[in-house]
């Protein structure tokens, strides 16, 4: 798990974390990535139906076609 100040090792599957975070503003965007919507700056189209999330701190993450439907319409 990556936070603003540190990284932490969590011995939990992403599927289990996804269920735990379901009511919060977290979205699964790839088989290996869950992102906090509060840190999304913008969403840009990529190719083959994928998207790129640009985060406020400058990172860019690819949203797979499979998980694109997890993002609310607000993000594209």
């Amino acid at each position: 798990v990556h936070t603003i100040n540190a990284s932490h090792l969590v011995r939990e599957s992403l599927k289990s974390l996804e269920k735990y975070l379901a009511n919060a503003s977290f979205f699964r965007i790839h088989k290996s990535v869950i992102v906090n919507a509060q840190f999304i700056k913008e969403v840009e189209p990529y190719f083959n139906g994928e998207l790129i999330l640009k985060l406020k701190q400058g990172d860019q993450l690819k949203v797979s076609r499979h998980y694109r439907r997890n993002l609310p319409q607000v993000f594209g």
Side-chain angles (χ1 to χ4, degrees):
V1 174
H2 297 279
T3 66
I4 292 174
N5 299 320
S7 293
H8 308 276
L9 179 61
V10 177
R11 296 188 185 270
E12 190 92 25
S13 71
L14 279 182
K15 187 171 190 154
S16 140
L17 284 174
E18 186 177 22
K19 288 178 185 176
Y20 179 76
L21 298 169
N23 295 330
S25 60
F26 289 83
F27 303 99
R28 185 125 184 212
I29 62 165
H30 195 274
K31 66 181 180 180
S32 60
V33 179
I34 296 175
V35 67
N36 184 336
Q38 295 178 10
F39 290 93
I40 298 172
K41 180 180 176 182
E42 63 183 293
V43 179
E44 291 185 354
Y46 199 48
F47 67 94
N48 290 333
E50 295 176 335
L51 301 169
I52 295 290
L53 290 184
K54 292 188 175 183
L55 303 181
K56 292 177 181 176
Q57 68 270 28
D59 295 329
Q60 294 186 14
L61 303 171
K62 186 166 57 170
V63 181
S64 71
R65 289 178 297 171
H66 178 74
Y67 290 102
R68 181 180 179 156
R69 68 178 182 265
N70 290 353
L71 290 178
Q73 294 301 318
V74 175
F75 298 118

